[in-house]
Structure formats: C-alpha cells, structure tokens
Amino acid sequence: MNRHLLALACGLLALLATGCGPRNPPTYPVTGKVTLEDGTPLAGAQVEFEGKTPAGETINASGETGPDGVYMLTTFEKGDGAVAGEHRVIVAPPANVTPSNFSGPPPRDIIDRKFRSYESSGLSFTVQPPPAKNEYDITVQAPK
C-alpha cells in the first residue's frame, strides 16, 4: 500500500511541476498617445482597457502617460500589453496635486468627465496578436 501512495504522490508532484494549474491568457503589446484637442500631450493620465479573457472573464490592462502623452499597457507584468479582443477604454485625468495649505477652489478638470466611464467614453479598440501593431492614439476633449 505504501508503494501505491508513493506512486500517487510522485504522479501529483509531476503534474504540479508541469504547470497544470491556471495560466494567464496571452497578452499583446499596446501603446499609444493621449492628447488634448489642440494636440498637447496629456501627461500623467491613466489609460485603462477593459477586455474579456477567452473564458469570458473581465480583465483590465492599464498604463500611465509619460510627459509626451505616450502610454504602454500592463495586464500581468510591466508592459506586457492586453488580451486579444474588443476593449472598452477610459482615460482618467492626471491627479491634481494640491498643497495641504491650499485654501482656494479645487483645480478644474482638464478633460471631460465622460472619459472616466466605460459607458460614456465612446472609446473602444480591438487588440490583435502579431503581426498587428496595437497602437491606439486617443484625443480627449476639455469639460463642457
């Protein structure tokens, strides 16, 4: 009987060693540039793509724009991109840094609030495996 338990334990260890557990779906690099209507790059904004895994689960990829407005998405590891498929997209404005002794009104948003919601942003892109170049530039409007 001990021999059977040992064989079973070895078999289970072999299965675990081969990685039979859940794996992340493949991702593909996604980059782009966020600009204001006048062409000015939007630095410090958060860009988020909402997609679905092959199993139908929601999965997000996000990235922050640099000084030049360029973003690169991350899902699991820095810069790995997003899963393939259709994605709804949002853009959150840069965080307003306000000194603790600031007593005036809060700084005004520089982009329309509609870009903060998947339902109202009007933005969607399709991420595809190579050889497709997943470069998606986004132009945002000022608040109305």
Side-chain angles (χ1 to χ4, degrees), residues 96-104:
N96 292 323
V97 180
T98 306
S100 60
N101 62 352
F102 185 76
S103 61

Side-chain angles (χ1 to χ4, degrees), residues 5 14 21 25 31 56 58 75 78 80 87 91 96 105 113 115 118 134:
L5 285 175
T31 61
T58 299
T75 299
K78 185 173 173 72
D80 64 353
H87 292 259
V91 178
N96 292 323
R113 288 183 155 298
F115 293 104
Y118 292 116
N134 295 304

Side-chain angles (χ1 to χ4, degrees), residues 29-43:
V30 178
T31 61
K33 185 173 185 176
V34 180
T35 56
L36 300 172
E37 286 179 295
D38 66 2
T40 304
L42 184 58

